[in-house]
Amino acid sequence: MRTFALIVRRLNEVMLWIVGMLILLMGLLLFYDVLMRYFFKAPTAWAFDLAGWFTGLTAFLAGGYVLLKKAHIRVDIFYQKFSPKVQGGLDALTSVFLFLIVLILVWKGGERTLHYWHLGAVANTGLNIHLWIKWLMVPLGGLLLGLQAVVNLVNDVYLFFTGRPLIDEAEEHAS
């Protein structure tokens, strides 16, 4: 399990770098578009479409990393007062809702992706990109989130029953 957790961690860390590069690229492309629009009166036809696509892509690809760092929104007013064992139990119980979200993202996102692939539909914006490529971010993001959710669930259940984490943060950073 530790090896699986390490692989999922590395995968989500790589996704963070990809997301960072996408944000940097998006900023440069939008800067270029602003220059072209205001100084040369020649805006690009594709900048708005690409910026929207990159925004969605960064949100979906970063979900697993955010879960890894436990940075999703949570009401901590009572949670922080609980022992680690109780926190692990609560996290394991509430993971049911997370897995429902993951299931819907992979299932419905996958359905939509395949639908557009079979149609051969193309966006009628500046890039004219195939719509299935755009929709692929939904099941992919759900998969990344789901892999990290499995690792977290195993760790939370182990923490609940033993009082100590199976996968210790300090131990993972040392590997």
Side-chain angles (χ1 to χ4, degrees), residues 10-20 61-62 65 140 144:
R10 296 288 185 255
L11 180 62
N12 282 314
E13 287 172 343
V14 166
M15 285 301 124
L16 181 69
W17 280 97
I18 291 171
V19 164
L61 294 183
Y65 182 81
L140 181 61
L144 292 167

Side-chain angles (χ1 to χ4, degrees), residues 139-153:
L140 181 61
L143 181 64
L144 292 167
L145 188 63
L147 288 172
Q148 188 60 52
V150 167
V151 171
N152 286 8
L153 177 61

Side-chain angles (χ1 to χ4, degrees), residues 52-68:
W53 186 45
F54 281 1
T55 301
L57 194 57
T58 57
F60 279 105
L61 294 183
Y65 182 81
V66 173
L67 186 62
L68 168 70

Side-chain angles (χ1 to χ4, degrees), residues 4 24 48 56 83 85 108 158-159 163 173:
F4 177 71
L24 178 64
F48 183 75
S83 70
K85 187 173 182 173
K108 290 301 190 180
Y158 190 84
L159 177 64
H173 287 299

Side-chain angles (χ1 to χ4, degrees), residues 64-128:
Y65 182 81
V66 173
L67 186 62
L68 168 70
K69 296 298 181 181
K70 299 186 186 300
H72 282 282
I73 297 172
R74 174 175 54 208
V75 179
D76 287 343
I77 193 165
F78 299 113
Y79 183 85
Q80 295 299 343
K81 296 182 189 305
F82 296 139
S83 70
K85 187 173 182 173
V86 173
Q87 287 179 357
L90 284 173
D91 287 343
L93 281 174
T94 58
S95 69
V96 170
F97 300 108
L98 177 58
F99 283 112
L100 286 173
I101 291 168
V102 166
L103 176 69
I104 290 168
L105 288 173
V106 173
W107 173 31
K108 290 301 190 180
E111 264 184 9
R112 181 59 57 148
T113 303
L114 288 174
H115 172 73
Y116 283 130
W117 184 64
H118 287 297
L119 285 178
V122 176
N124 60 356
T125 57
L127 283 178
N128 297 331

